[in-house]
Amino acid sequence: MAFPIDPDDMNPQQAKTELARLAREIARHDKAYHLQDAPKISDAAYDALRQRNTQIETRFPDLVRADSPSNKIGSKPANKFGKITHKVAMLSLSNVFTDQDVTDFVARVRRFLSLGEADELQITAEPKIDGLSAGIRYESGKLVQAATRGDGQTGEDITANIRTLIDVPKTLSGTGWPDVLEVRGEVYLRHVDFDQMNQKQVAADKEPYKNPRNAAAGSLRQLDASITASRPLRFFAYAWGDVSAPFASSQFKAIEQLSEWGFSTNPLTQVCANAAEMIAVYRDIEQQRSSLGYDIDGVVYKVNRLDLQGRLGFVSRSPRWATAHKFPPEQASTILENIDIQVGRTGALTPVAKLAPVTVGGVVVSNASLHNEDELARKDVRIGDRVLIQRAGDVIPQVVRVLDADRANRADPFQFPKICPCPLQTPTSREVDEKGEIGAITRCTGGAACPFQQVETLKHFVSRNAFDIEGLGARQIETFFAEGTIREPADIFALHQRIDRVELAKKDGWGKTSIANLFGAIEQRRQIGLDRLLFALGIRHIGQTNARLLAYHFGSWDALAQAMASDAINEELLSIDGIGQAASDALIQYLREPHSAAVVARLLDQIKVTDMVKADNDSPVSGKIVVFTGKLEQLSRDEAKAGANALGAKVSGSVSAKTDILVAGPGAGSKLKKATELGVQVLSEQEWLRLIGKA
Ligand code: IVH
């Protein structure tokens, strides 16, 4: 392509004008290419534009624009589906497995609500559909938006695809719907439709889908909604998210109402009066499982009254008012061909069974977990054995037991390695806890220096609930790590300086588009919430729940860093309800240990950590430290704590000078005395309820 003036002949004014023009033009082409999938110029012409931009910038470094195309690689979102932030988080369900668990669930709910023996508690039971959840938003009765669950906070915009589903109304029928109504439910495929779809796949020389769920996922994720339209996806409505006004008083009535407005709802839904009835419905649904014509993987129980659901609230990422009763795992037998030792992110050595491939519950399995050294020894699994394996849902399949232990010529018992298979070849060790007991986990003693641990830490860092960098999965991390391109998290954000795009484009699996997408995805994550960052670092004992607790407690990275410098940091961490000694120790050690502290510092040079927004800033107790003591009469202790947390208060177990409010019921003793001495505000339960607007 010919350009008017050669950069070498330009004066600063001409350079400035030309850089502005190039920034605009390149941005326009980026958009056409990435967001509209419709490039307007050839790759070569596009490269020439960028090259010219770089040439001018090299000659006039002072004139580099803030929005220079050299800083922005690829266009904005790398992923083709837009993101949608859920107004109401889309959570998951806790699980129960046995009849006893069901009884315990009911007892827990009753206790939380302080129900007496004579008080009734209705619970609904319905099939747990094995598909993908979606939230569909209606405004004034019209379908306006639909999103996948994603990580529960943010999902993908699948509006166009959802519109093609036959049992999703585009306009609500009947009357009385709230102005805003977000209906939630499961997208799934019936068995007949799945079989037909796979026949078509095979006829078109394409790989058949493994199971209806995968096929549904593949169909829903089509960029071209006309492809989704050709796939017979279905939808069962079973819940709701954002609504402008309540529209029912119970779960059962709400579902009936959704059915009147035009949704398919599950006909097996029933109301139960106690655990025995719930278990009976579970057995009944289990009996019908194979003849339903669609996959289900359990039964979901939900407290029927919506006011009680509201009081029960949530714990971590699932509601207290619901749980899933899972069907027992599916089993199969096969030959164990070998035992591999894998080194995890924290150095844990996990034995993995390499199996002769076998189909279990519709999925081909060739690896299964053997958990740890002791489990392996207890099961006495040896190479060549026939083993029983099982898988439940998406969890890793497990080896249950050896089936032919009494046969002749069995191999010798497996010797668990005393030396880690990692390149450092360090001796392995078993942890000893504070009571002097030997822990179950065998670890590599290489610590942060162990390359196996480094690479696993990086995989965790980019994973879905952490930085969630699309296009940078386990495989790519392994390759970049092996080449030395990415050694620690900060390197990901400096990747544009660390690799040669032209060289990368020559490699298998990489093309111009995927490279541009990768850089786009990385750029998108340069801003990250404190909770995700804390989780992503992969600190022991800091899983998603603890990361969130810490993030909400400190609010910002700076506040956390400042607290870390204080001598009282352990006490402060332990004062956070839910954070225990192990997590506190691990966090302090990680952030104070020079190597990991340096890794974090280098990362922070590359990214911007966004502060946490308090749950409810308007509440008079938001940000306050509250302690409950004595007997509470209207709320159970759990309910009181949960309610305070939901309003942004921090509930602590002990009174100190930092305590803002002590809520004291009858029988309060030493805590009340201490609070009075320290001049802490003391409230009765009734006064507390009034303060938070619940009385
Ligand atoms: S209720 C607040 N009901 O199970 C929880 N979920 O493990 C709202 N699912 O993400 C979910 N059938 O995708 C509910 N009848 C049912 C369900 C169901 C399937 C899925 C859903 C959810 C997952 C939770």
Side-chain angles (χ1 to χ4, degrees):
M1 187 183 284
F3 291 106
I5 314 174
D6 193 283
D8 287 340
D9 303 331
M10 281 180 178
N11 65 37
Q13 189 49 46
Q14 287 166 325
K16 198 171 166 196
T17 314
E18 183 63 359
L19 285 175
R21 187 188 73 81
L22 286 168
R24 265 196 323 271
E25 182 152 1
I26 292 172
R28 190 163 63 84
H29 290 305
D30 277 342
K31 197 167 157 207
Y33 185 73
H34 296 292
L35 300 180
Q36 295 151 356
D37 279 318
K40 294 197 167 52
I41 52 171
S42 71
D43 284 356
Y46 175 83
D47 282 350
L49 287 174
R50 275 190 167 268
Q51 225 174 12
R52 180 171 170 83
N53 187 70
T54 316
Q55 260 180 335
I56 304 174
E57 284 182 348
T58 317
R59 249 203 88 199
F60 300 97
D62 293 348
L63 297 181
V64 174
R65 301 167 58 88
D67 65 349
S68 160
S70 342
N71 301 329
K72 277 190 298 190
I73 296 152
S75 170
K76 268 177 275 168
N79 44 337
K80 307 283 168 70
F81 290 99
K83 297 272 181 203
I84 290 181
T85 303
H86 298 301
K87 293 254 166 31
V88 175
M90 272 179 99
L91 301 157
S92 55
L93 293 167
S94 59
N95 293 321
V96 296
F97 298 95
T98 63
D99 292 0
Q100 183 60 45
D101 293 344
V102 177
T103 312
D104 292 347
F105 167 73
V106 175
R108 216 165 35 242
V109 168
R110 295 188 77 95
R111 206 175 324 117
F112 190 96
L113 296 169
S114 301
L115 295 183
E117 261 174 51
D119 296 324
E120 74 164 15
L121 175 71
Q122 289 187 336
I123 296 196
T124 61
E126 68 195 67
K128 183 171 190 300
I129 318 297
D130 197 6
L132 302 117
S133 47
I136 313 175
R137 188 178 175 88
Y138 292 82
E139 285 174 12
S140 309
K142 300 257 181 299
L143 192 167
V144 293
Q145 194 177 62
T148 61
R149 175 169 178 264
D151 66 358
Q153 313 289 335
T154 314
E156 282 179 334
D157 185 341
I158 48 163
T159 314
N161 294 1
I162 284 288
R163 277 183 190 282
T164 68
L165 267 62
I166 43 169
D167 50 5
V168 169
K170 261 56 82 193
T171 308
L172 300 179
S173 345
T175 51
W177 16 263
D179 255 358
V180 175
L181 170 66
E182 185 205 340
V183 176
R184 292 182 176 175
E186 204 82 353
V187 177
Y188 69 101
L189 261 176
R190 297 186 312 178
H191 292 155
V192 278
D193 295 326
F194 170 69
D195 292 342
Q196 270 192 12
M197 215 177 110
N198 261 354
Q199 278 166 19
K200 282 193 199 154
Q201 287 285 109
V202 174
D205 236 6
K206 291 192 185 138
E207 188 76 4
Y209 287 103
K210 278 185 187 157
N211 57 40
R213 186 180 186 281
N214 288 351
S219 306
L220 201 57
R221 284 192 52 87
Q222 291 295 331
L223 283 171
D224 179 353
S226 68
I227 301 181
T228 313
S230 70
R231 310 272 174 93
L233 295 173
R234 306 249 162 182
F235 182 78
F236 271 131
Y238 54 63
W240 55 94
D242 191 23
V243 285
S244 52
F247 60 94
S249 60
S250 74
Q251 179 73 34
F252 195 79
K253 286 193 189 133
I255 299 305
E256 273 184 342
Q257 188 60 262
L258 292 180
S259 159
E260 278 168 31
W261 291 333
F263 292 93
S264 297
T265 57
N266 197 286
L268 302 178
T269 310
Q270 288 190 48
V271 179
C272 308
N274 51 45
E277 286 186 24
M278 291 156 69
I279 293 165
V281 174
Y282 170 84
R283 297 257 183 278
D284 184 41
I285 292 178
E286 192 181 20
Q287 284 266 310
Q288 299 187 53
R289 183 179 186 185
S290 59
S291 57
L292 289 177
Y294 50 86
D295 278 356
I296 63 171
D297 57 350
V299 170
V300 180
Y301 304 126
K302 297 172 185 167
V303 168
N304 197 25
R305 267 173 52 184
L306 300 187
D307 59 331
L308 298 184
Q309 286 191 3
R311 277 179 59 194
L312 284 153
F314 300 86
V315 58
S316 186
R317 298 171 64 74
S318 38
R320 256 191 219 91
W321 46 265
T323 196
H325 191 172
K326 292 301 221 26
F327 292 134
E330 309 202 52
Q331 300 187 325
S333 91
T334 187
I335 301 293
L336 180 125
E337 294 180 334
N338 207 351
I339 297 175
D340 251 18
I341 301 290
Q342 288 182 356
V343 183
R345 169 164 65 83
T346 59
L349 267 55
T350 306
V352 176
K354 297 283 159 184
L355 308 164
V358 60
T359 307
V360 195
V363 171
V364 179
V365 168
S366 49
N367 293 315
S369 173
L370 286 161
H371 302 287
N372 56 49
E373 184 173 359
D374 289 351
E375 271 293 295
L376 179 59
R378 192 179 62 73
K379 289 179 182 153
D380 188 18
V381 180
R382 306 187 195 179
I383 293 165
D385 286 352
R386 175 162 286 279
V387 289
L388 181 69
I389 61 162
Q390 68 177 28
R391 68 173 274 279
D394 286 337
V395 302
I396 305 163
Q398 299 171 0
V399 173
V400 184
R401 64 169 190 275
V402 176
L403 295 170
D404 58 355
D406 47 7
R407 76 179 198 284
N409 302 329
R410 243 183 125 198
D412 290 335
F414 182 77
Q415 290 301 315
F416 208 84
K418 298 270 175 273
I419 298 288
C420 180
C422 75
L424 298 183
Q425 300 199 313
T426 51
T428 60
S429 83
R430 295 280 288 262
E431 244 157 57
V432 180
D433 67 13
E434 58 271 26
K435 287 187 217 114
E437 275 170 35
I438 298 177
I441 299 175
T442 313
R443 274 181 212 282
C444 162
T445 49
C450 164
F452 279 22
Q453 294 183 44
Q454 289 169 356
V455 77
E456 292 306 316
T457 304
L458 283 165
K459 287 185 198 168
H460 170 78
F461 185 86
V462 298
S463 66
R464 184 172 153 124
N465 292 320
F467 270 68
D468 190 19
I469 299 180
E470 224 167 294
L472 194 57
R475 242 195 27 243
Q476 291 81 0
I477 285 286
E478 271 172 16
T479 317
F480 283 134
F481 186 84
E483 297 168 356
T485 320
I486 297 179
R487 287 288 177 174
E488 61 174 63
D491 297 344
I492 295 172
F493 292 97
L495 193 62
H496 55 291
Q497 295 152 359
R498 298 177 68 91
I499 50 168
D500 181 342
R501 285 163 150 248
V502 182
E503 284 304 308
L504 182 60
K506 288 183 195 150
K507 291 193 180 151
D508 229 20
W510 290 105
K512 225 169 143 45
T513 316
S514 56
I515 295 172
N517 283 347
L518 171 65
F519 282 113
I522 293 172
E523 283 317 305
Q524 258 198 330
R525 292 293 185 259
R526 245 184 232 282
Q527 276 206 23
I528 194 97
L530 179 60
D531 52 343
R532 274 185 182 253
L533 170 67
L534 286 171
F535 173 67
L537 293 175
I539 306 165
R540 282 188 70 193
H541 304 290
I542 312 292
Q544 257 187 308
T545 303
N546 280 353
R548 280 210 181 151
L549 289 173
L550 293 166
Y552 277 109
H553 178 85
F554 291 104
S556 69
W557 177 269
D558 291 344
L560 169 67
Q562 208 175 359
M564 272 298 146
S566 142
D567 289 342
I569 180 62
N570 184 45
E571 288 68 36
E572 174 158 9
L573 290 172
L574 294 180
S575 79
I576 306 171
D577 204 30
I579 298 288
Q581 193 60 62
S584 171
D585 287 347
L587 182 71
I588 296 173
Q589 201 207 333
Y590 183 90
L591 292 178
R592 287 192 177 163
E593 195 272 317
H595 175 82
S596 42
V599 165
V600 174
R602 286 191 290 267
L603 173 63
L604 291 175
D605 279 345
Q606 296 280 354
I607 62 169
K608 182 174 177 330
V609 185
T610 48
D611 296 351
M612 304 300 291
V613 186
K614 287 272 155 48
D616 181 352
N617 278 319
D618 297 338
S619 162
V621 301
S622 167
K624 296 269 162 71
I625 299 179
V626 184
V627 177
F628 292 95
T629 188
K631 185 169 161 32
L632 300 181
E633 286 164 325
Q634 301 182 46
L635 303 172
S636 69
R637 186 60 74 86
D638 284 343
E639 185 175 9
K641 277 192 196 173
N645 279 329
L647 294 171
K650 296 165 194 167
V651 179
S652 167
S654 59
V655 174
S656 74
K658 285 196 180 159
T659 310
D660 293 302
I661 302 171
L662 179 79
V663 181
S670 60
K671 285 184 194 168
L672 177 57
K673 187 161 165 273
K674 188 162 179 197
T676 320
E677 281 164 14
L678 290 168
V680 170
Q681 182 183 20
V682 178
L683 299 179
S684 69
E685 185 182 4
Q686 191 58 32
E687 285 166 336
W688 164 256
L689 287 171
R690 224 172 296 139
L691 178 64
I692 62 172
K694 293 253 169 85

